Amino acid sequence: MVTPLHYDPYCNLYNVYASSDPGVHAKHFVLFPPALSEYLARADGGSVLRNTSPLDLHLHLHSSRSTPRSASDDAFEIRIDPDSAPLRTREAVLGSGAALSCVVREGDTLFVPRRWWHRVENVALRDATGGLEAEAGGRGWTAGVGWWFLPRTL
């Protein structure tokens, strides 16, 4: 399961409630602040999908696989499909240093602030020599619960 890059008009507490194998299956989140909206938003602002970005993001393992990893947030790198955005947009988004990346496992809860752009993907975290290695996809499952809300003051 992969969601497109999008934002929600509410704050969100997202909990990974269960998975087919808690030591292996998790969700990967990538988040971008609202300050990047000019690069992430659809050009056709009147679209019913105005909260969904045309940018097509992909997860890749870092190229250095010789070092054992702890399946941490830095096990993945985020790439933008060059056909989904002009070079200026790709450079602004990835070059901003504003992307946040995390792996959310069974029992973990993540707070996603209102209007923050985010993308969610199921990932499999596999045992490797002395550490864990992460890969996108996998055949297992995760079940999450999102609680969207507006605080009394913003």
Side-chain angles (χ1 to χ4, degrees), residues 1 19 25 34 38 59 71 81 85 87-88 93 98 117 128-129 132 147:
M1 193 257 349
S19 70
H25 299 285
E38 77 174 276
L59 293 181
D81 181 339
L87 179 61
R88 176 184 168 271
V93 170
W117 294 87
T129 59
L132 289 173
W147 182 54

Side-chain angles (χ1 to χ4, degrees), residues 30-72:
V30 61
L31 298 103
F32 296 99
L36 290 176
S37 290
E38 77 174 276
Y39 300 106
L40 301 174
R42 301 183 74 84
D44 56 348
S47 169
V48 293
L49 299 175
R50 67 181 169 270
N51 72 323
T52 303
S53 177
L55 265 67
D56 190 10
L57 302 179
H58 299 279
L59 293 181
H60 292 274
L61 285 173
H62 279 290
S63 55
S64 172
R65 297 175 106 183
S66 59
T67 305
R69 296 200 169 271
S70 62
S72 64

Side-chain angles (χ1 to χ4, degrees), residues 12-32:
N12 182 6
L13 283 175
Y14 189 88
N15 174 262
V16 175
Y17 179 74
S19 70
S20 56
D21 184 344
V24 175
H25 299 285
K27 293 201 182 277
H28 177 274
F29 277 75
V30 61
L31 298 103
F32 296 99

